[in-house]
Amino acid sequence: MAGVEQRQNKSGGGKYFFCSGGKKKEVKKETGLGLSFTKDENFGEWYSEVVVNGEMIEYYDISGCYILRPWAISIWEIMQTFFDAEIKKMKVKNCYFPLFVSPGVLQKEKDHIEGFAPEVAWVTKSGESELEVPIAIRPTSETVMYPYYSKWIRGHRDLPLKLNQWCNVVRWEFSNPTPFIRSREFLWQEGHTAFATKEEADTEVLQILELYRCIYEEFLAIPVTKGRKSELETFAGGLYTTSVEAFIPNTGRGIQGATSHCLGQNFAKMFEINFENEKGEKGMVWQNSWAYSTRTIGVMVMVHGDDKGLVLPPKVAALQLIVIPVPYKDADTQGIFDACVATVATLSDAGIRAEADLRDNYSPGWKYSNWEMKGVPLRIEIGPRDLANNQVRAVRRDNGAKTDISRVFLVEQVKGMLDKIQQNLFDVAKQKRDACVEVLKTWEEFVTALGQKKLILAPWCDEEDVEKDVKARTKGDMGAAKSLCTPFEQPELPEGTKCFASGKPAKKWTYWGRSY
């Protein structure tokens, strides 16, 4: 916006906006901020519009690639700060490996590369010259890192080896690229660890999975299910895969939130990662890999966003609170502006991420819509009456509730409201998710529930051929159904219960549905 500056409030560390030159600007009454699509009527278009209008992304001139704007990166950084500190408590160390992979190394683990082959991007030229050997761009880093694990691990004293890297990866998706959810390049962390025993590896798998649950439930306010993937859905080349699974009620699709894999000894065998134990005996290491990505941000937008735009949980919002002056005609405008700046200073000093929007060429109504679109959890309005009564009006983004707060109790009340918003977002999301869960036992019920966009919990015989058959029988325009995960918290399975799809004896309860 021409003539608009953003300056640092020296007294309190917050920011406020005002027009340069000190001249009165013409107030813009029209907002032009409304969304063209509603979440219920056209979810895909709504989502695309929200992530752009909410200033999360900008579309790039290469399909499937997106510019992540500061509003999105700040969310990523907050989650990164939490997760990085937690894995360091577990003695995981950060590192960085190159982006490029030689074909020989990439193809060493056959099952692994077969799982990724369609998505691998290759560098084939340098300037005008064809490369003698094409170079792959990492889709994931097992094959990049493990030749060096073989070099660094010799004896039991070299174990465990626990490394993590924060980086980008490239997977050349061809099906429906979607910002954050399915893109050709994305940011993630990937942890790669090696242990002397399977027990140590198994323990870490669940420790990491719990951290992923924390990111979703405690930071992003999204309910997830912890569970184990089927053999068919296990990470290529791995022993078993665990995941946290979210669900998008509007589309009736599950979404894999993050994964923690036990790789077993398969990669150790291929890359000769051996060690000598205390008794001088040779053995192979047990390995894990685990990752979460910027997909987390897309899930948050899908779950919490509404027809006004983004709705950000306070814990991850770059800006938790916006202060807006509401000067009426002949009001003490300077006094109101001063109160706004002082309010920001007080809240910033208390550790609340607050700013004031003092731009005088936009009406208060336009500002309300603007910050609602960007999902700021709490808005504070200060007008002449508030100034006279030494109070502010607080408006919640999640439910629109309005409360007058005495400035004497400002910090305490605002902190309490932010906590309530965080909890309410989770509670509402959980209620909507739980309302979509359908527990059933027959194929006919399964087909009906699938058509109703349900998250299906059904007894299953745990046979790969049966899962393939479910996929084949449900294939259509909406995509095939598949197993999402077998939850760790299993309902009772009465003796004699049959598999919903095959009629064979059921071994477990598993979640099924369409997915992203």
Side-chain angles (χ1 to χ4, degrees):
M1 296 167 202
V4 177
E5 295 178 358
Q6 181 177 318
R7 296 190 182 171
Q8 192 73 25
N9 173 8
K10 305 289 188 212
S11 61
K15 292 175 186 169
Y16 54 91
F17 300 83
F18 69 102
C19 289
S20 58
K23 293 181 180 178
K24 187 78 175 170
K25 298 286 180 182
E26 182 185 347
V27 174
K28 298 181 180 177
K29 297 203 180 289
E30 77 287 346
T31 70
L33 290 172
L35 296 171
S36 307
F37 301 93
T38 66
K39 190 176 184 180
D40 287 339
E41 289 178 4
N42 193 329
F43 185 86
E45 294 291 350
W46 167 86
Y47 177 79
S48 297
E49 203 173 9
V50 166
V51 292
V52 173
N53 291 10
E55 298 182 12
M56 299 287 271
I57 66 119
E58 189 61 72
Y59 282 89
Y60 194 56
D61 64 356
I62 296 175
S63 174
C65 298
Y66 309 96
I67 298 163
L68 301 190
R69 300 184 67 181
W71 207 240
I73 286 295
S74 61
I75 295 170
W76 180 246
E77 287 175 336
I78 288 167
M79 294 188 291
Q80 182 180 27
T81 298
F82 160 76
F83 189 79
D84 202 60
E86 291 298 317
I87 61 174
K88 280 174 179 168
K89 291 177 189 174
M90 296 169 61
K91 308 302 182 190
V92 177
K93 293 180 171 64
N94 283 326
C95 63
Y96 184 79
F97 279 73
L99 176 67
F100 302 115
V101 196
S102 67
V105 169
L106 187 65
Q107 292 161 3
K108 199 160 189 176
E109 210 300 310
K110 190 183 170 192
D111 290 340
H112 179 70
I113 188 54
E114 279 182 1
F116 285 100
E119 300 172 350
V120 176
W122 294 88
V123 179
T124 59
K125 291 180 75 173
S126 170
E128 293 302 313
S129 306
E130 295 285 340
L131 293 182
E132 196 173 319
V133 179
I135 297 170
I137 300 174
R138 64 175 169 228
T140 180
S141 297
E142 282 76 9
T143 57
V144 179
M145 299 170 78
Y146 297 165
Y148 300 92
Y149 280 40
S150 174
K151 183 177 180 180
W152 298 335
I153 296 170
R154 286 286 180 263
H156 63 90
R157 292 181 184 85
D158 300 321
L159 294 172
L161 178 60
K162 302 182 180 184
L163 299 181
N164 176 70
Q165 64 174 355
W166 296 92
C167 63
N168 62 338
V169 288
V170 173
R171 296 181 184 176
W172 213 253
E173 298 274 2
F174 286 97
S175 60
N176 303 319
T178 305
F180 298 114
I181 301 299
R182 193 170 286 282
S183 56
R184 288 177 169 174
E185 180 192 11
F186 54 88
L187 302 180
W188 74 350
Q189 61 68 218
E190 51 176 326
H192 295 270
T193 53
F195 300 91
T197 67
K198 183 176 185 291
E199 289 71 28
E200 292 171 281
D202 288 339
T203 298
E204 188 202 60
V205 164
L206 297 182
Q207 287 176 322
I208 294 295
L209 199 67
E210 174 59 15
L211 293 181
Y212 292 151
R213 183 205 64 79
C214 284
I215 285 172
Y216 273 95
E217 296 197 342
E218 296 176 23
F219 281 81
L220 298 172
I222 297 167
V224 290
T225 300
K226 292 200 292 186
R228 183 162 167 161
K229 290 288 195 180
S230 68
E231 289 293 327
L232 198 60
E233 296 294 326
T234 291
F235 181 72
L239 180 62
Y240 66 86
T241 290
T242 67
S243 66
V244 288
E245 299 285 330
F247 186 75
I248 311 299
N250 291 75
T251 60
R253 290 182 183 273
I255 186 159
Q256 182 175 283
T259 49
S260 184
H261 315 286
C262 179
L263 302 179
Q265 295 180 307
N266 195 27
F267 287 88
K269 183 179 180 181
M270 293 299 160
F271 290 95
E272 299 179 4
I273 311 174
N274 302 312
F275 72 102
E276 197 173 90
N277 66 19
E278 297 95 326
K279 298 175 183 176
E281 299 165 339
K282 288 279 188 183
M284 286 189 296
V285 299
W286 291 84
Q287 290 177 269
N288 293 338
S289 69
W290 28 271
Y292 81 94
S293 74
T294 37
R295 169 178 275 207
T296 49
I297 299 171
V299 180
M300 177 202 71
V301 175
M302 288 182 165
V303 169
H304 299 309
D306 62 19
D307 291 342
K308 291 182 178 180
L310 298 170
V311 180
L312 301 181
K315 275 195 176 181
V316 294
L319 189 58
Q320 295 173 314
L321 182 148
I322 188 73
V323 181
I324 297 177
V326 191
Y328 302 145
K329 215 171 187 179
D330 303 322
D332 178 7
T333 302
Q334 191 57 49
I336 291 171
F337 274 36
D338 290 345
C340 290
V341 172
T343 298
V344 169
T346 299
L347 294 171
S348 296
D349 287 344
I352 294 164
R353 298 187 288 276
E355 294 178 8
D357 187 345
L358 305 183
R359 295 173 291 182
D360 60 3
N361 61 330
Y362 290 95
S363 68
W366 189 94
K367 293 176 186 178
Y368 296 167
S369 297
N370 177 228
W371 294 107
E372 283 173 350
M373 179 69 75
K374 295 184 73 172
V376 174
L378 196 59
R379 179 174 80 235
I380 280 187
E381 304 165 6
I382 301 179
R385 186 173 66 86
D386 302 304
L387 197 62
N389 294 336
N390 196 35
Q391 67 179 31
V392 301
R393 168 157 288 191
V395 184
R396 287 172 54 163
R397 175 65 181 87
D398 61 326
N399 62 13
K402 300 178 180 180
T403 310
D404 290 331
I405 301 173
S406 167
R407 292 182 66 184
V408 177
F409 305 110
L410 182 66
V411 170
E412 178 187 330
Q413 294 270 12
V414 165
K415 284 186 173 179
M417 290 182 85
L418 291 173
D419 287 344
K420 285 177 182 175
I421 293 168
Q422 183 79 27
Q423 187 60 49
N424 185 58
L425 284 173
F426 178 81
D427 292 343
V428 169
K430 190 172 186 301
Q431 287 163 11
K432 288 180 179 177
R433 193 273 311 262
D434 291 351
C436 293
V437 176
E438 189 87 12
V439 181
L440 51 81
K441 293 184 178 179
T442 69
W443 178 256
E444 290 71 23
E445 292 171 329
F446 180 84
V447 172
T448 301
L450 198 61
Q452 296 170 343
K453 298 181 177 179
K454 297 292 187 181
L455 174 58
I456 298 164
L457 185 61
W460 180 38
C461 61
D462 196 19
E463 291 185 13
E464 192 171 307
D465 287 345
V466 173
E467 181 172 6
K468 287 178 179 176
D469 188 52
V470 170
K471 280 188 173 183
R473 291 163 74 184
T474 57
K475 200 170 184 179
D477 294 340
M478 296 284 289
K482 65 178 186 179
S483 69
L484 302 174
C485 78
T486 294
F488 291 143
E489 292 185 8
Q490 284 278 304
E492 184 185 352
L493 187 67
E495 195 173 339
T497 301
K498 304 290 186 185
C499 170
F500 79 98
S502 67
K504 297 177 182 179
K507 295 179 181 176
K508 57 175 73 169
W509 289 94
T510 297
Y511 280 108
W512 297 78
R514 293 191 172 96
S515 73
Y516 284 93

